[in-house]
Amino acid sequence: MTARFSLHVRLFLAAILSVACGLVVAGFVLSTLFEQHVVRQAETDLGAQLDGLVAAVDVAGVPYELTRTPTDPRFHVPFAGRYWQIEMPDGRVLRSRSLWDEKLALPSDELNDGVIHRHAIAGPKGQKLLVLERAVFPPRSDGAIRLAVGMDRKPIHEATERFRGMLALSLGVLGIALVAASVAFVRLGLSPLRRLRQSLAEVLDGGRKRLPETFPGEIEPLARELNHLLDRNDEALERARATAGNLAHALKTPLAVMNNDISQLGQSGVAPDTAGRLAEEIGRMREQIERQLAAARAAAGIGTGRTAVAGEAVENVMRALGRLYPDLSFRADVPDVAVFAGDRTDFEEMLGNLFENACKWARHTVKVSGRVEGRELVLCVEDDGPGLPAEERTRVLARGVRLDERGGGQGFGLAIVADLAKLYGGTLRLDASALGGLMAELRLPRR
């Protein structure tokens, strides 16, 4: 992965971040609401017990007395978590059995008649209490009766923690489901872009000439523009090929005439040395023209979607050379799946040069075999000639060097093959053949 994340990864990370943030916020809000609900329920329960405690105080006589005690059994078990306490105006303190010898440390705030105050104070045995308190102002008294009912907050905390555990588990399962849904949505949303990429790959491999325009409305204009660009590129390539062909014919004919005149001049005995040098220079000019035109044609055809079936091209080349070398036996073993991802003319030119060099040296047999290795097409052209020493195999790929100094031509066939192969990202390698002669291994990109 590069430093710049792909669109798929960006959307996926954004979805995960959004889901995570949403679940965290939802968990916090739900946990807080649940805790507040439990506290309100506890306060409602305490409020009812406080009302019962107020009703049990007899203020008709003096001193004031408690006519009955609350019936909740937790008020009668020491430190059971439920407590009540009454402070009389005369200083007496009445309290539940659960407080044992302890006393609730109520804050000294000013109480109005009937108003309930809520406190969070420390209780016996280090308990944290939730306390509701109210004051009653009886007649014929200058003081107030303070009544308080409290409970340990531990059950509230435990209930909240249990809820948070179940909530975390539920939100975790929900988060996994949402992430899976996000992945599906991202893949579904980006599927048109994947189809566009696949279609472009098919255009580059030669499977199709244009992109389909059956994309969603947001991508369809892009597909149309790309098709327009492909059309213009094809037109420009055709013009370039036509120009290269015209240039080749325009230069080859004058050079042929000059070469013929110089040959006649040399044969007539007039300045034979000068004629030889001129013929050599014309040969070099022809070599450069052939090399540059072949390279320009190959560069123009790279990535244009043209392809060549290797088996068909081999048969065409063997058929043509079979008429020139009727005494040789040609053998071919190229699989049908071997397809060159490039221009057919360039492919046949490379094969033709390799076959022609093999035919010049072969005694009886020229063999071509093909195979597919990953994304490469490998073709091997072999002959049963005398072969070539290892130290000479690199030299013959240089410009102007011929395998057969006695043969015709200017010796740039193998150099053109090497140049064309390099333009397509391939290689040409020379090695010893199992037939006894030379093997030329040509590696090219395949479709």
Side-chain angles (χ1 to χ4, degrees):
M1 182 184 297
T2 61
R4 294 177 294 180
F5 294 132
S6 67
L7 187 59
H8 183 279
V9 173
R10 291 183 181 183
L11 292 176
F12 180 62
L13 292 179
I16 291 180
L17 183 61
S18 301
V19 168
C21 292
L23 292 179
V24 169
V25 172
F28 176 77
V29 172
L30 291 175
S31 176
T32 302
L33 291 176
F34 179 80
E35 184 177 15
Q36 292 176 353
H37 172 73
V38 174
V39 171
R40 283 196 298 269
Q41 288 294 106
E43 290 179 348
T44 300
D45 187 23
L46 289 176
Q49 292 177 338
L50 182 60
D51 290 341
L53 190 63
V54 171
V57 177
D58 182 11
V59 296
V62 178
Y64 309 125
E65 297 294 340
L66 186 65
T67 60
R68 63 183 183 279
T69 59
T71 59
D72 192 326
R74 289 172 292 182
F75 287 131
H76 301 282
V77 179
F79 313 120
R82 283 296 176 107
Y83 312 100
W84 61 265
Q85 179 174 291
I86 302 176
E87 296 181 6
M88 297 297 183
D90 57 5
R92 288 181 300 128
V93 177
L94 305 178
R95 53 180 174 260
S96 63
R97 178 67 176 170
S98 57
L99 278 172
W100 200 246
D101 294 330
E102 300 284 341
K103 179 183 177 181
L104 297 179
L106 299 174
S108 58
D109 53 353
E110 183 177 349
L111 299 174
N112 296 321
D113 190 12
V115 177
I116 296 178
H117 284 205
R118 180 180 180 274
H119 305 298
I121 63 174
K125 300 295 184 181
Q127 296 176 351
K128 297 179 181 180
L129 303 183
L130 171 63
V131 177
L132 296 185
E133 178 191 9
R134 64 176 293 185
V136 175
F137 293 86
R140 301 182 305 278
S141 176
D142 295 334
I145 302 175
R146 300 183 66 181
L147 303 97
V149 178
M151 66 172 291
D152 187 4
R153 295 183 64 95
K154 185 178 180 180
I156 298 176
H157 177 73
E158 291 177 346
T160 303
E161 289 301 314
R162 287 194 300 271
F163 175 78
R164 286 174 178 169
M166 292 186 294
L167 181 63
L169 179 61
S170 301
L171 291 180
V173 174
L174 178 61
I176 294 175
L178 290 177
V179 169
S182 299
V183 172
F185 291 154
V186 169
R187 291 184 63 85
L188 180 63
L190 295 181
S191 59
L193 291 179
R194 287 195 297 272
R195 288 197 294 114
L196 179 62
R197 184 182 63 183
Q198 293 171 356
S199 299
L200 282 173
E202 291 175 1
V203 170
L204 292 176
D205 289 343
R208 62 167 69 237
K209 295 186 66 67
R210 291 171 55 86
L211 297 174
E213 297 184 0
T214 57
F215 289 102
E218 294 81 1
I219 301 179
E220 185 177 347
L222 175 60
R224 287 200 301 267
E225 291 299 323
L226 288 174
N227 281 333
H228 180 63
L229 181 61
L230 289 172
D231 293 339
R232 294 186 60 182
N233 187 53
D234 285 342
E235 294 174 1
L237 289 175
E238 290 301 326
R239 287 195 299 270
R241 287 177 176 274
T243 301
N246 294 336
L247 179 61
H249 287 294
L251 293 176
K252 283 183 178 180
T253 300
L255 286 176
V257 173
M258 293 173 60
N259 188 57
N260 183 63
D261 292 344
I262 290 173
S263 297
Q264 293 179 0
L265 184 63
Q267 293 173 1
S268 64
V270 179
D273 295 337
T274 302
R277 289 195 299 271
L278 289 176
E280 182 178 350
E281 292 301 324
I282 290 176
R284 291 177 180 175
M285 292 172 62
R286 291 177 58 188
E287 172 190 348
Q288 291 297 326
I289 291 172
E290 292 289 345
R291 288 174 60 87
Q292 296 303 322
L293 289 178
R297 185 173 64 249
I302 293 175
T304 61
R306 296 181 172 88
T307 58
V309 178
E312 296 178 1
V314 168
E315 290 181 1
N316 293 337
V317 174
M318 286 196 307
R319 189 180 303 112
L321 290 176
R323 292 192 291 268
L324 297 177
Y325 299 92
D327 297 333
L328 294 179
S329 173
F330 294 89
R331 300 194 330 231
D333 180 17
V334 181
D336 295 336
V337 295
V339 179
F340 168 55
D343 184 71
R344 181 185 182 91
T345 303
D346 295 333
F347 187 59
E348 290 186 352
E349 181 170 353
M350 287 185 279
L351 285 178
N353 283 323
L354 294 180
F355 266 96
E356 187 173 1
N357 281 295
C359 290
K360 288 179 180 179
W361 287 93
R363 295 188 177 96
H364 306 289
T365 304
V366 173
K367 175 185 175 182
V368 58
S369 59
R371 65 183 185 274
V372 172
E373 293 183 0
R375 298 298 300 173
E376 284 189 328
L377 166 62
V378 183
L379 289 173
C380 297
V381 179
E382 304 176 67
D383 63 73
D384 60 350
L388 191 68
E391 61 273 10
E392 296 293 324
R393 293 171 189 162
T394 302
R395 189 181 68 86
V396 296
L397 296 180
R399 300 180 181 181
V401 178
R402 298 199 306 265
L403 288 175
D404 185 4
E405 295 296 338
R406 296 168 301 172
Q410 299 300 322
F412 48 85
L414 289 178
I416 289 180
V417 174
D419 287 347
L420 288 176
K422 185 177 180 180
L423 285 172
Y424 281 103
T427 58
L428 174 63
R429 183 178 66 90
L430 301 181
D431 203 347
S433 169
L435 299 179
L438 185 68
M439 179 192 72
E441 181 188 78
L442 181 63
R443 288 180 174 266
L444 296 170
R446 77 175 184 91
R447 198 186 87 177

